[in-house]
Amino acid sequence: MKDFSGKTAVITGGASGIGLAMAELFAAQGMKLVLGDIESDALTTAIEKLSAGGAECVGAVTDVSDPDQVQALADLAVERFGGIHIACNNAGVFTGGLLWEESLADYRWLMDVNVMGVVHGIRSFVPIMQAQGDECHIVNTASMAAVTAMPYSGIYHMSKHAVLALSESLYHELSFHSPQVKISVLCPEAINTGIATSERNRHTQYSDVVESDERNMVMDALNASVAGGIGPEVMAQRVLDAVINERFYIFSDELWRRSAETRLEDIRLGRNPTFAPPIPE
Ligand SMILES: NC(=O)c1ccc[n+]([C@@H]2O[C@H](COP(=O)([O-])OP(=O)(O)OC[C@H]3O[C@@H](n4cnc5c(N)ncnc54)[C@H](O)[C@@H]3O)[C@@H](O)[C@H]2O)c1
């Protein structure tokens, strides 16, 4: 897609971080915006800011773990703006710890939001795009965690590997059945957003948290790395470039790529997993 003006983008997790940065950049291209987010106040603030900048923007409080709420977001886009041209399945959360200690609530929370949230987006947005028949683009947010597997954040890695595999399969299915619907998968590195405070959006059905030294260590490390991370507007620009150039993989910096390549080499050689964190040598 090269022409964005007057078209509509739907973004889940659009009230902050990478989602909001994509909304701002799409608005600058003349797109109309439909934002879904679980955080009502942040969503209101985001819509006010975008509207004040001249964008046509609506939003709905949306928990992506609920298929009906994601469908309602899609319906809102069709009702208000007549369709969907870009859909960003972006909402995501993080938690960490030791895999045998973490609660089932930890597992369910990350699978419900990070994986099923994307599944719900695919099931609601793709049929609308197919029926439109014009050029459209799906952007699923995975992570460099989708191509690596580090200790103490295994559930997050598992969820993002699932998003990558789902997106790769969807790429093939769309190219066979609906070639006008393109797809990219965004794999950010450390980005300066609210991801380290994901627990702010952890609802009561997931309240079982097991404290541990490993959990505290990985949360501290995430806090430090996102605080020193690049701005979310850099990700938004990479997404826009990928949509324009119909590029599927939106990968990250050299350090994370090196970790990913070491993992691929382990797999290629049948070698045991190398611990290769994304830190300078
Ligand atoms: N920041 C990073 O370093 C980084 C790195 C790799 C991948 N990512 C991914 O980027 C995506 C965006 O995260 P971010 O870094 O901008 O963090 P963020 O916390 O700033 O933004 C995430 C947004 O998702 C919303 N959200 C959380 N749970 C939700 C739910 N159940 N339903 C709907 N909305 C929900 C939050 O309210 C928030 O607005 C996530 O998928 C995350 O896993 C982030």
Side-chain angles (χ1 to χ4, degrees), residues 259-272 274:
S259 298
E261 276 160 18
T262 303
R263 175 173 174 268
L264 283 178
E265 192 68 353
D266 290 343
I267 293 168
R268 196 178 70 77
L269 298 174
R271 188 169 72 188
N272 289 353
T274 305

Side-chain angles (χ1 to χ4, degrees), residues 96-97 211-221:
E211 293 299 341
S212 70
D213 290 346
E214 289 78 11
R215 176 182 151 79
N216 292 338
M217 183 186 68
V218 80
M219 296 311 284
D220 288 348

Side-chain angles (χ1 to χ4, degrees), residues 50-96:
L50 287 157
S51 302
E56 277 191 75
C57 180
V58 294
V61 174
T62 307
D63 180 347
V64 295
S65 69
D66 179 346
D68 294 340
Q69 294 186 34
V70 177
Q71 185 59 49
L73 188 70
D75 294 344
L76 175 67
V78 174
E79 259 165 49
R80 293 296 294 269
F81 299 135
I84 302 172
H85 299 94
I86 297 181
C88 301
N89 295 307
N90 165 76
V93 290
F94 179 91
T95 195

Side-chain angles (χ1 to χ4, degrees), residues 8 22 26 28 47 49 82 87 96 137 161 166 185 200 202 208 211 233 243 248 260 263 269:
T8 301
M22 290 193 284
F26 292 155
I47 292 167
K49 191 177 167 206
H137 207 110
H161 277 244
L166 188 63
V185 65
R200 70 192 189 277
R202 186 170 174 139
D208 184 10
E211 293 299 341
E233 67 284 353
V243 172
F248 176 77
R263 175 173 174 268
L269 298 174

Side-chain angles (χ1 to χ4, degrees), residues 13 15-19 37-39 62-65 90-93 113 141-143 156 160 188-191 193-195 200-201 226:
S16 69
I18 297 169
D37 204 287
I38 202 167
E39 281 192 314
T62 307
D63 180 347
V64 295
S65 69
N90 165 76
V93 290
V113 178
T141 303
S143 167
Y156 187 74
K160 294 300 187 177
E189 63 261 45
I191 313 299
T193 68
I195 192 75
R200 70 192 189 277
N201 291 317
V226 300

Side-chain angles (χ1 to χ4, degrees), residues 23 29 39 74 124 131 141 144 164 167 174 206 214 216 227 244 269:
Q29 314 309 307
E39 281 192 314
S124 291
T141 303
M144 288 308 281
L164 178 62
S167 303
L174 289 172
Y206 305 113
E214 289 78 11
N216 292 338
I244 291 170
L269 298 174

